[in-house]
Amino acid sequence: IARDRPPIVAVIDEGIGYLNARFRKRADGAGAAATRTRVLALWQQSLRPVSAANSPLVRLGRVLTRAEIDADLARLERETEFDVYFERNAEIFAHHTHRSTEQGFSHGTAVLDIAAGADIEAGAEAADILAVQLPPETLEDTSGTSLPAFLLMGLDWLLTLALEARRSIIVNVSLGFPAGTK
């Protein structure tokens, strides 16, 4: 583990608004192009397999890479954040599924902001981020029976990426097993 590099901050939660301004860093350019994401990768888990998964470690859902998230940030020049999330969610979630990132507020975005949010306008330099967004259906299941498997898969993925990068990692999980997100 590289001791001279700050730890990666990671969360496992629902509804992670990865385009949020507090998860960015300065870059050359103007407008939305003047920022880049601090998110190294985001695993958007889903109950059903996605055939075009771009990660050998992921079979349920998809991984958005830093380059893909930066491309989504560039879309904000002509589209709303809601539109980007809506399109991304439609690719992997059923139409009737609750999609927190399409709402004005989500638990995962708030938790990630507390753990790793930074005000780039104030010149803040902040940690790199990894995130796992749990399948919405696991949180709607108030028995809590489907949540542990996805939490453990997410934790394994985060630890594997940190080990491959030879970085330490701090992981926040602030969901309870039984009775959904209550």
Side-chain angles (χ1 to χ4, degrees), residues 7 18 28 38-39 44 49 56 63 72 105-106 109-110 118 124 128 130 142-143 148 154 166 173:
Y18 62 91
D28 295 332
R38 292 188 294 121
V39 179
Q44 293 178 309
V63 173
D72 282 354
F105 176 84
S106 68
T109 303
D128 289 331
L130 283 170
T142 58
S143 72
R166 302 188 49 75
V173 180

Side-chain angles (χ1 to χ4, degrees), residues 11-43:
V11 297
I12 302 174
D13 214 305
E14 63 86 35
I16 298 171
Y18 62 91
L19 299 175
N20 189 292
R22 293 183 51 83
F23 311 143
R24 301 180 200 171
K25 61 184 174 182
R26 292 189 185 283
D28 295 332
T35 61
R36 290 189 38 197
T37 187
R38 292 188 294 121
V39 179
L40 302 173
L42 165 67
W43 179 7

Side-chain angles (χ1 to χ4, degrees), residues 47 135 137-141 143-151 153 177:
L47 294 183
E137 299 90 344
T138 62
L139 300 167
E140 293 167 356
D141 172 17
S143 72
T145 57
S146 60
L147 186 57
F150 284 94
L151 282 171
M153 284 189 289
F177 281 76

